């Protein structure tokens, strides 16, 4: 017996009776993350933009903050080293005379710090970095050199990459439940995914709910695709109790219509639309792709049969 039991998405029709009897609060707006409802369709969004806002943007801010701290630390060290070097040279001049650093009797250790100053008697940033990374001026020159280069490479790679992903992160298209045709569809990066509502499968765990649709890959092979839903907008925990109102609303809409689930208005759309620079645009050949997927699903029974424990039934 396997130590870890595998779970598989179950047909939504298995839960249909319980979901149709679920009591909705019809005076309230639809449960999150339903974003649009009218007489014909209901749209369901996923948590991708919230994940960006809770993940990539805070990560970028943390990296920028640490970069500022490191830069500020180096600038303060530069200022402190300049002040200490100038004070030391002034002290040596008072002790040994103004011409001490031009004489042959000057201490080599004193002279190497004196030569770091420019003609104006200031320590330039270039000279400071030379002293900071040189074992001739500090016992930790090699350590500081490796540390500064490592941080520089890290920030030079990480910050542009995070900015690129944040800017290019597209708002994904919602999942559309079409009551008239009794189908479910969406598109992702130019590819249409769909399923007949009666064959829709759902997998629920503590982190998210995965609604499974079908679509063609780049090699024109039919594959499964997950639409991940997190009603609480929490990327780590949502809980199965958060999924039932969402599924109940969708099932009752598909079964009884908008007037049953939302009698107070003929059309509703959420105001909560996370900011994005780009949207995942609808494919120009959307109708052809949708028809091809639905036709394939109608002509080919490729669903995996499951037993009462939601495990695949072995072939005879």
């Amino acid at each position: 017996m396997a130590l870890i039991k595998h779970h598989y998405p179950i047909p939504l029709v298995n839960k249909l009776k319980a979901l149709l009897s679920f009591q909705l609060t019809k005076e309230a707006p639809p449960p999150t993350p339903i974003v649009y409802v009218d007489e014909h369709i209901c749209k369901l969004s996923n948590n991708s933009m919230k994940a960006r806002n809770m993940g990539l943007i805070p990560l970028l801010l943390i990296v920028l903050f640490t970069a500022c701290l490191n830069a500020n630390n180096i600038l303060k060290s530069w200022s402190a080293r300049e002040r200490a070097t100038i004070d030391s040279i002034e002290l040596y001049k008072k002790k040994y005379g103004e011409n001490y650093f031009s004489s042959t009797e000057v201490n080599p250790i004193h002279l190497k710090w004196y030569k770091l100053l420019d003609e104006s008697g200031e320590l330039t940033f270039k000279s400071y970095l030379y002293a900071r990374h040189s074992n001739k001026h500090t016992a930790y020159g090699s350590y500081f050199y490796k540390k500064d280069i490592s941080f520089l490479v890290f920030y030079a790679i990480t910050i542009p990459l995070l900015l690129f992903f944040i800017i290019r992160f597209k708002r994904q298209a919602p999942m559309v439940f079409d009551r008239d045709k009794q189908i479910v569809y969406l598109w992702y990066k130019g590819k249409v995914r769909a399923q007949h509502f009666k064959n829709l499968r759902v997998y629920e765990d503590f982190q998210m709910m995965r609604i499974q649709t079908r679509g063609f890959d780049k090699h024109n092979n039919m594959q499964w695709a997950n639409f991940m839903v997190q009603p609480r907008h929490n990327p780590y925990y949502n809980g199965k109790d958060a999924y039932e109102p969402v599924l109940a609303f969708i099932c009752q809409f598909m079964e009884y219509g908008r007037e049953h689930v939302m009698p107070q208005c003929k059309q509703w759309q959420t105001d909560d639309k996370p900011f994005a620079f780009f949207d995942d645009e609808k494919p120009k050949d959307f109708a052809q792709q949708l028809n091809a997927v639905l036709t394939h699903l109608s002509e080919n029974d490729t669903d995996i049969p499951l037993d009462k424990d939601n495990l695949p039934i072995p072939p005879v």
Side-chain angles (χ1 to χ4, degrees):
M1 181 178 179
L3 294 177
I4 301 176
K5 181 179 179 180
H6 294 281
H7 295 274
Y8 295 86
I10 65 172
L12 187 58
V13 69
N14 291 6
K15 304 176 62 176
L16 189 59
K17 184 176 180 180
L19 292 171
L20 291 178
S21 62
F22 184 89
Q23 294 298 315
L24 296 171
T25 306
K26 298 178 182 179
E27 294 76 17
T32 306
I34 293 171
V35 295
Y36 180 85
V37 182
D38 67 15
E39 296 287 341
H40 308 287
I41 63 173
C42 171
K43 295 182 180 180
L44 177 68
S45 72
N46 64 11
N47 199 33
S48 60
M49 296 308 299
K50 295 284 185 178
R52 180 203 69 170
N53 295 344
M54 296 176 65
L56 291 179
I57 292 178
L59 181 59
L60 175 62
L61 294 177
I62 290 172
V63 172
L64 289 174
F65 179 70
T66 59
C68 290
L69 286 180
N70 279 291
N72 187 59
N73 180 61
I74 291 176
L75 292 176
K76 284 185 175 180
S77 298
W78 173 29
S79 179
R81 172 49 58 190
E82 182 181 43
R83 185 72 265 159
T85 303
I86 293 174
D87 289 346
S88 298
I89 290 172
E90 291 298 322
L91 180 63
Y92 298 143
K93 285 184 178 181
K94 288 181 180 180
K95 185 176 182 179
Y96 301 110
E98 287 291 330
N99 298 324
Y100 171 65
F101 289 97
S102 60
S103 69
T104 56
E105 298 179 355
V106 61
N107 188 311
I109 297 177
H110 300 166
L111 184 62
K112 70 180 181 181
W113 285 106
Y114 175 78
K115 288 184 176 180
L116 288 175
L117 301 180
D118 62 9
E119 296 178 354
S120 303
E122 298 178 349
L123 180 66
T124 64
F125 187 64
K126 181 179 179 180
S127 296
Y128 165 72
L129 289 180
Y130 169 75
R132 176 181 172 88
H133 298 152
S134 173
N135 288 326
K136 295 180 180 179
H137 293 83
T138 175
Y140 303 101
S142 297
Y143 166 76
F144 284 131
Y145 179 75
K146 293 177 182 178
K147 174 186 173 183
D148 292 345
I149 290 297
S150 298
F151 276 120
L152 181 62
V153 171
F154 173 75
Y155 295 134
I157 294 175
T158 305
I159 293 175
L161 276 178
L162 287 173
L163 281 172
F164 174 80
F165 284 122
I166 288 172
I167 293 174
R168 294 296 301 174
F169 199 104
K170 294 182 179 181
R171 182 188 291 110
Q172 292 186 20
M175 174 174 279
V176 180
F177 293 82
D178 189 321
R179 183 171 184 269
D180 298 333
K181 299 178 181 179
Q182 287 293 300
I183 60 173
V184 182
Y185 62 84
L186 69 149
W187 58 88
Y188 180 72
K189 294 183 178 180
K191 291 291 185 179
V192 175
R193 300 168 177 177
Q195 182 61 282
H196 296 99
F197 182 71
K198 64 180 181 180
N199 295 328
L200 201 62
R201 296 198 172 198
V202 178
Y203 175 72
E204 303 170 51
D205 60 26
F206 69 92
Q207 186 181 19
M208 67 183 68
M209 174 171 64
R210 297 171 177 87
I211 303 176
Q212 289 201 327
T213 52
R214 310 295 296 277
F216 292 108
D217 62 16
K218 61 181 180 181
H219 302 295
N220 210 35
N221 297 317
M222 182 61 70
Q223 64 178 0
W224 291 95
N226 287 317
F227 187 81
M228 295 171 286
V229 180
Q230 296 172 312
R232 293 192 173 117
H233 296 312
N234 186 324
Y236 308 108
Y237 177 78
N238 282 269
K240 294 185 178 181
D241 60 314
Y243 310 139
E244 191 172 23
V246 179
L247 292 175
F249 186 96
I250 290 170
C251 290
Q252 292 182 31
F253 168 81
M254 296 293 281
E255 184 73 16
Y256 306 124
R258 188 274 313 159
E259 62 277 3
H260 175 81
V261 296
M262 204 172 185
Q264 67 271 31
C265 55
K266 292 185 178 181
Q267 186 185 57
W268 175 87
Q269 185 171 351
T270 182
D271 296 326
D272 182 18
K273 191 176 183 181
F275 174 77
F277 290 96
F278 303 97
D279 287 326
D280 193 350
E281 298 294 340
K282 188 175 184 178
K284 294 181 180 179
D285 60 343
F286 168 78
Q288 293 90 327
Q289 286 196 52
L290 178 61
N291 182 64
V293 173
L294 294 175
T295 300
H296 181 94
L297 294 177
S298 298
E299 296 176 351
N300 300 273
D301 183 12
T302 57
D303 277 349
I304 305 171
L306 305 178
D307 63 16
K308 60 182 179 62
D309 295 320
N310 296 319
L311 296 174
I313 299 175
V316 179

